[in-house]
Amino acid sequence: MISEKMKPFMANNSAIRAMFEEGKRMAAVYGRENVYDFSLGNPNVPVPQVTEAILDVVKNEDFMTLHGYMSNAGYEDVRQTIAESLNKRFGTNFSFKNLIMTVGAASGLNIILKSILNPGDEVIVFAPYFVEYNAYVRNYDGNVVVISPDTETFMPKLDEFEAKITAKTKAVIINNPNNPTGVVYDEATIKAMAAILEKKEKKFGTSIVLISDEPYRELAYGGIEVPFVTKYYHNAVVGYSYSKSLSVPGERIGYVVIPDEVDDSAALIGAATIANRVIGCVNAPSLVQKVIKYCIEHEVTVDLETYEKNRNLIYGALTEYGFTCAKPDGAFYLFVKSPVENEKEFCEVAKKHHVLVVPGSSFACPGYVRLAYCVSYEQIERSLPAFKKIAEEYGLCK
């Protein structure tokens, strides 16, 4: 009954979601307040203005216009509003024609990959990386090429990157700020990456698309700037989601930017627009598109201070207890070194203390675990005695 192509996806079903389901089971047994679930990157900071935006849109938009068919690329006025916002923020020169509204960033990456990949084409990713990239590439019969992690800094290994680009390389995916490490690729890194890509394009006579996956763009701390990649490389496209910046992951709303500078940009925009339809999304949800326009016009954003406060508390406590991890500059994750080589064993020990974390092997980086600190400050406080007991069990506390 099940297709051969689906079987590997089923075998590699997300460990993140599995741990999330385990958290719900444990909460029913021990009480939700006694289970410390750091598995899922589900935003916990409400943005009340989103509710106001929904009510305003429903009240003031024409019913048939709001709920009817539209261009597969989305409402032109919404796309133009986003384009102008990007131009103002990053000094770009986009119009609505350069944007396609998508069903979250995942859909955005899929329509780009569907538009450019032929069977056997290679897509480079940097470990640790969001595990679903594997599935997205395999959807279109591409092959994932992994750059091994630099576990000192978790910045891209540019020498290995350059060595692994071949004539079959069709795309490179970066995630900035990064899930699971919280690292931000700085301007120098993006410039160096662009120079390597330009050199390889000339060598092989090919076009290599740099896909920047940016759902955490707005979650950068301490004034850290996240470079906007289209300013540094001509074949760069951006996939964005409002899931984290407006705390609306369930609404599945985002966009793709395809600049005019991209090789065959008009053809790529056309192909991606059609891909939006043929993969089954058809178009992004109409109501939420209008809500995004309202939020941009009213400068609605998430309360970043809450996440920064959470980061400081959990990072400070865990490092005090003897755990090793890089302090994240963005997103809302800690990537913690496991005190034992097999991090899945560590996850099981943590679970005995009602602490749920995700193994790093799910991100192609074994020996580490990911904690999502987008939870309440009170949950982090309640969890600290459990983390201390785990540290003591492994002899980490001094």
Side-chain angles (χ1 to χ4, degrees), residues 147 156-164 196:
I147 308 302
K157 284 184 176 178
L158 296 180
D159 53 348
E160 183 180 340
F161 172 56
E162 183 168 5
K164 286 187 173 179
I196 291 169

Side-chain angles (χ1 to χ4, degrees), residues 159-387:
D159 53 348
E160 183 180 340
F161 172 56
E162 183 168 5
K164 286 187 173 179
I165 297 174
T166 72
K168 291 185 178 181
T169 303
K170 200 62 171 287
V172 177
I173 301 176
I174 61 173
N175 180 207
N176 201 25
N178 180 262
N179 172 16
T181 65
V183 164
V184 174
Y185 297 173
D186 59 17
E187 184 180 53
T189 299
I190 299 300
K191 283 182 174 180
M193 193 177 293
I196 291 169
L197 288 170
E198 287 170 358
K199 182 169 70 173
K200 292 294 185 175
E201 283 188 324
K202 290 178 182 177
K203 177 180 178 180
F204 297 119
T206 57
S207 296
I208 304 174
V209 180
L210 176 61
I211 305 170
S212 188
D213 180 24
E214 301 186 357
Y216 303 97
R217 165 170 284 282
E218 318 308 332
L219 276 63
Y221 310 111
I224 294 288
E225 291 191 11
V226 183
F228 199 78
V229 296
T230 69
K231 298 170 62 177
Y232 303 95
Y233 180 61
H234 70 116
N235 271 333
V237 302
V238 175
Y240 184 80
S241 168
Y242 290 94
S243 293
K244 318 301 180 181
S245 60
L246 292 178
S247 295
V248 290
E251 302 298 345
R252 310 305 307 149
I253 186 69
Y255 60 79
V256 164
V257 178
I258 303 173
D260 292 334
E261 292 79 9
V262 171
D263 294 344
D264 299 323
S265 63
L268 181 55
I269 291 168
T273 302
I274 294 170
N276 212 24
R277 181 174 76 241
V278 300
I279 68 172
C281 295
V282 183
N283 57 258
S286 58
L287 171 60
V288 189
Q289 285 191 50
K290 294 291 188 177
V291 168
I292 293 304
K293 180 183 178 183
Y294 176 102
C295 289
I296 291 173
E297 291 174 341
H298 291 78
E299 299 183 348
V300 178
T301 58
V302 75
D303 177 12
L304 187 59
E305 291 182 5
T306 298
Y307 290 130
E308 189 168 13
K309 183 180 177 183
N310 283 3
R311 177 197 67 163
N312 293 341
L313 175 61
I314 194 165
Y315 173 80
L318 264 59
T319 52
E320 179 184 337
Y321 300 157
F323 290 103
T324 300
C325 58
K327 189 173 185 179
D329 289 323
F332 39 51
Y333 305 108
L334 281 184
F335 206 51
V336 181
K337 185 173 177 59
S338 170
V340 290
E341 185 175 354
N342 182 356
E343 87 280 6
K344 292 182 180 179
E345 174 190 315
F346 173 67
C347 290
E348 290 302 312
V349 170
K351 193 191 300 184
K352 293 177 183 177
H353 294 271
H354 299 179
V355 173
L356 300 178
V357 295
V358 179
S361 51
S362 298
F363 304 94
C365 189
Y368 289 79
V369 298
R370 190 195 76 171
L371 285 71
Y373 56 82
C374 49
V375 297
S376 70
Y377 191 83
E378 291 71 26
Q379 176 179 313
I380 296 174
E381 286 183 315
R382 292 198 308 272
S383 74
L384 295 184
F387 276 115

Side-chain angles (χ1 to χ4, degrees), residues 17-45:
R17 289 286 177 172
M19 196 64 75
F20 175 65
E21 294 300 326
E22 176 68 3
K24 291 197 295 184
R25 185 196 68 79
M26 291 178 64
V29 175
Y30 302 109
R32 184 166 298 278
E33 71 281 2
N34 298 315
V35 177
Y36 317 115
D37 188 352
F38 296 93
S39 64
L40 192 62
N42 195 22
N44 75 308
V45 179

